């Protein structure tokens, strides 16, 4: 006997009909109160604050989002493998994902999504404790603070900031893009040639706190006051932290005048077969009423233009920065910045030619260059490349032999004054032993690496003459090649000044992996040539050369 078909009581059927009509046909009734659709979502970890709204979304639409939270770049790396079981991805930004997908190996199928919708927005900005904010405002009266100001304050120790690991977190990487873009000063998306490690070193020296993601970073900041006086993360998270009551005093939020990277929290459809449920979710999240609730709960900016902004979210975002479109840029940024949890001391060994031809204008130019690196140059570009806290500087004055040597570790202005005094001292020699000086530099580098194997060491060789004393290039090359691998990894950056032999200096750069910089003016025959003892341009050209190469390794 065939059993009679199971039917629902009339009252339940009526209730289902009412619900279906009231929710625009988006919900379904199964007779047991369960959700009709479940979507597996790979999500950025800061989206845990959306849970109350997602519970309402399930009730209203019948779509349940099963969230798997990870640091944004970690989540993107999972999608790049193409091996996953997610229906959707909800990231703070998909730019890292799409940029990395450009380099996917042949045959790989990275999941970048077949459809995308922005849900909300938040820029990556800087939060300063009241004391730090006052200290910076005193240096930049009446002006909006910039990334250049933050980098300068980090280099001097005024700002000690926390930032999520840029290798794993979108907020950390977005901050790094912002700093590097401002340092390049081109006004365009970064290109590989725009990324230079010397422009990140001073900024990096100020980082004293890190975490895999932005939420863990905020927790560490709140529970360990005093270690840091600044946070670099999303505007929304700084506002939420201020409102949480966990801080002694609210942070002052700075929207850098030289640009910010904006995150738009796109919801990505990975499985085309789930498009109907995806559309229901997007429609619900972007409806004005729900956008208003998202703003209220998370302090992220709504994408809907129909929603009036919270008073705390009215700072203009008219200087949003372009995100790089070349994956090589990210490679260089992350390689140059390194592991934020490892704060090794950098060391630069300056080998300075003090032969008699350096007397007068050339020595004045040399001293001016060191003064500029010590903070005398207040330009935006100079703020990214000045000498920074913890940096170890060795200066060797040489002629036909090493004449004098001084090493300082930068802790404050007194150390920089001592260095300036050493460079300013007289004492010249009639000969120029370029290769002997460079060999001395590598012996110094070897001692530094034995004392601290993780130290980043580089050599800057500045000369205005040809080698006429000491060992020759062949002898130096033989000695260099016999040194241990870590010492051979130390690069030399020769600076050609005056009539120095460019071909010989270029060979030194090529042998050690560095590069040659010409500190002479573009027109040696002009009256302003550095070869002229009265040249006013010699100071700027040498200062520029030092800024371009100092600290790179």
């Amino acid at each position: 006997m065939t059993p009679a078909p199971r039917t629902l009581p009339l009252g339940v059927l009526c209730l289902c009909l009412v619900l279906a009509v009231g929710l625009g046909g988006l919900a379904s009734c199964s007779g047991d109160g369960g959700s009709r659709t479940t979507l597996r979502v790979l999500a950025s970890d800061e989206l845990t604050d959306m849970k109350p709204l997602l519970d309402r979304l399930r009730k209203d639409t019948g779509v349940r989002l099963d969230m798997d939270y990870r640091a944004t770049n970690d989540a993107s790396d999972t999608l790049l493998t193409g091996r996953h079981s997610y229906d959707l991805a909800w990231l703070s930004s998909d730019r890292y994902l799409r940029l990395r997908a450009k380099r996917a190996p042949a045959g790989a199928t990275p999941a970048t999504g077949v459809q995308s919708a922005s849900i909300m927005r938040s820029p990556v900005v800087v939060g300063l404790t009241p004391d730090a904010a006052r200290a910076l405002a005193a240096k930049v009266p009446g002006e909006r603070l910039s990334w250049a100001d933050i980098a300068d304050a980090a280099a001097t120790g005024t700002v000690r900031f926390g930032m999520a690991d840029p290798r794993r977190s979108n907020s950390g990487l977005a901050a790094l893009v912002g700093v590097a873009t401002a340092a390049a000063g081109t006004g365009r998306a970064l290109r590989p040639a725009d990324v230079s490690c010397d422009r990140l070193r001073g900024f990096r020296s100020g980082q004293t706190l890190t975490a895999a993601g932005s939420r863990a970073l905020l927790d560490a900041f709140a529970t360990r006051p005093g270690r840091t006086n600044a946070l670099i993360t999303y505007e929304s998270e700084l506002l939420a932290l201020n409102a949480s009551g966990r801080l002694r005093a609210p942070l002052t939020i700075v929207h850098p005048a030289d640009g910010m990277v904006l995150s738009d929290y796109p919801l990505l459809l990975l499985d085309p077969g789930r498009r109907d449920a995806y559309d229901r979710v997007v429609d619900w999240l972007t409806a004005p009423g729900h956008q208003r609730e998202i703003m209220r709960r998370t302090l992220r900016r709504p994408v809907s233009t129909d929603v009036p902004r919270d008073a705390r979210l009215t700072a203009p975002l008219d200087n949003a920065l372009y995100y790089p479109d070349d994956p090589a840029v990210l490679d260089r940024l992350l390689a140059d910045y390194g592991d934020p949890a490892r704060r090794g001391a950098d060391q630069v060994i300056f080998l300075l030619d003090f032969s008699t031809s350096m007397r007068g204008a050339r020595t004045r130019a040399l001293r001016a260059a060191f003064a500029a690196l010590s903070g005398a140059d207040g330009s935006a570009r100079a703020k990214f490349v000045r000498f920074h806290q913890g940096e170890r500087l060795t200066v060797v004055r040489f002629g036909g032999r090493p004449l004098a040597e001084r090493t300082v570790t930068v802790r404050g202005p007194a150390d920089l004054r001592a260095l300036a005094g050493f460079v300013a001292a007289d004492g010249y020699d009639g000969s120029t032993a370029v290769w002997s000086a460079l060999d001395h530099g590598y012996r110094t580098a070897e001692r530094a690496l034995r004392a601290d194997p993780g130290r980043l060491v580089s050599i800057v060789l500045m000369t205005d003459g040809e080698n006429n004393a000491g060992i020759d290039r062949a002898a130096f090359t033989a000695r260099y090649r016999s040194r241990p691998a870590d010492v051979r990894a130390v690069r030399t950056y020769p600076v050609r000044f005056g009539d120095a032999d460019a071909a010989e200096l270029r060979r030194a750069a090529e042998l050690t992996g560095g590069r040659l910089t010409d500190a002479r003016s573009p027109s040696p025959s002009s009256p302003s040539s550095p070869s002229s003892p009265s040249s006013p341009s010699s100071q700027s050209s040498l200062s520029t050369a030092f800024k371009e190469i100092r600290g790179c390794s």
Side-chain angles (χ1 to χ4, degrees), residues 80 94-102 112-113 115-116 268:
L80 288 167
D94 65 349
R95 286 173 293 208
Y96 172 90
L97 170 65
R98 297 190 184 281
L99 206 53
R100 289 296 193 205
K102 289 184 176 182
T112 56
Q115 191 170 331
S116 173
L268 309 177

Side-chain angles (χ1 to χ4, degrees), residues 330-341:
L330 295 190
D331 292 341
R332 291 200 59 174
L333 277 176
L334 294 174
D336 285 350
Y337 199 77
D339 182 355

Side-chain angles (χ1 to χ4, degrees), residues 54-404:
L54 300 186
D55 291 341
R56 284 180 50 193
L57 180 146
R58 177 183 59 79
K59 294 175 183 177
D60 288 354
T61 67
V63 180
R64 176 178 178 268
L65 300 184
D66 181 10
M67 307 284 278
D68 181 4
Y69 298 105
R70 303 188 191 180
T72 301
N73 294 350
D74 288 350
S76 298
D77 289 338
T78 296
L79 296 176
L80 288 167
T81 66
R83 298 184 299 274
H84 63 83
S85 57
Y86 299 102
D87 303 303
L88 310 181
W90 196 355
L91 308 174
S92 55
S93 172
D94 65 349
R95 286 173 293 208
Y96 172 90
L97 170 65
R98 297 190 184 281
L99 206 53
R100 289 296 193 205
K102 289 184 176 182
R103 279 193 170 172
T109 55
T112 56
V114 295
Q115 191 170 331
S116 173
S118 297
I119 305 301
M120 47 203 171
R121 296 190 177 99
S122 194
V124 171
V125 296
V126 183
L128 299 170
T129 62
D131 287 346
R134 282 191 292 271
L136 264 65
K139 294 182 178 181
V140 193
E143 297 182 21
R144 286 174 61 190
L145 293 173
S146 66
W147 284 119
D149 298 319
I150 299 299
D152 186 60
T156 61
T158 304
V159 162
R160 306 178 308 279
F161 66 88
M163 185 179 79
D165 189 338
R167 300 169 301 174
R168 304 185 62 187
S169 165
N170 175 70
S171 64
L173 184 55
L176 207 52
V177 168
V179 172
T181 303
T186 62
R188 67 186 183 212
L190 285 170
R191 299 176 182 174
D194 298 326
V195 180
S196 177
C197 66
D198 56 316
R199 297 174 194 168
L200 297 177
R201 292 289 169 83
F203 172 74
R204 189 190 70 170
S205 70
Q207 184 169 6
T208 57
L209 181 66
T210 192
S214 55
R215 280 304 168 89
L217 178 74
L218 265 65
D219 288 342
F221 180 85
T223 56
R224 301 175 69 180
R227 180 179 178 183
T228 56
N229 58 11
L231 275 179
I232 301 177
T233 188
Y234 302 108
E235 172 193 65
S236 59
E237 299 205 322
L238 294 176
L239 290 170
L241 184 61
N242 279 348
S244 70
R246 302 171 68 190
L247 303 179
R248 295 173 183 170
L251 298 174
T252 299
I253 296 180
V254 173
H255 296 77
D258 38 8
M260 297 164 282
V261 175
L262 189 64
S263 294
D264 63 346
Y265 295 87
L267 187 62
L268 309 177
L269 174 63
L270 304 177
D271 181 356
R274 313 310 295 271
R275 187 181 300 273
D276 177 69
Y278 168 84
D279 288 342
R280 282 186 260 166
V281 171
V282 170
D283 289 344
W284 192 94
L285 290 170
T286 56
H290 300 137
Q291 286 275 291
R292 189 178 299 108
E293 184 68 8
I294 288 173
M295 178 178 65
R296 186 183 73 82
R297 284 185 174 273
T298 72
L299 293 171
R300 298 186 184 101
R301 299 178 182 228
V303 293
S304 172
T305 57
D306 297 329
V307 179
R309 299 295 187 268
D310 183 295
R312 292 167 290 181
L313 300 173
T314 55
L317 302 180
D318 52 354
N319 59 344
L321 295 175
Y322 294 104
Y323 203 80
D325 56 7
D326 184 342
V329 170
L330 295 190
D331 292 341
R332 291 200 59 174
L333 277 176
L334 294 174
D336 285 350
Y337 199 77
D339 182 355
R342 182 192 171 281
R343 291 274 70 97
D346 299 344
Q347 180 165 351
V348 185
I349 300 168
F350 289 94
L351 306 175
L352 306 180
D353 184 347
F354 265 65
S355 57
T356 51
S357 59
M358 284 290 294
R359 286 182 184 274
R362 293 179 181 176
T363 297
R364 289 195 295 272
L366 181 61
R367 293 165 182 166
F370 271 82
L373 288 170
S374 298
D377 185 345
S379 67
R381 186 182 180 207
K383 291 179 178 180
F384 287 103
V385 294
R386 60 168 297 154
F387 293 135
H388 57 77
Q389 289 282 304
E391 187 172 24
R392 190 174 175 84
L393 304 170
T394 297
V395 178
V396 179
R397 302 198 327 243
F398 74 91
R401 56 182 174 79
L403 301 173

Side-chain angles (χ1 to χ4, degrees), residues 19-42:
L19 286 173
V21 172
L23 295 175
L26 297 182
S28 64
C29 290
S30 62
D32 59 4
S35 298
R36 181 177 181 180
T37 303
T38 296
L39 300 177
R40 292 204 66 223
V41 185
L42 182 59

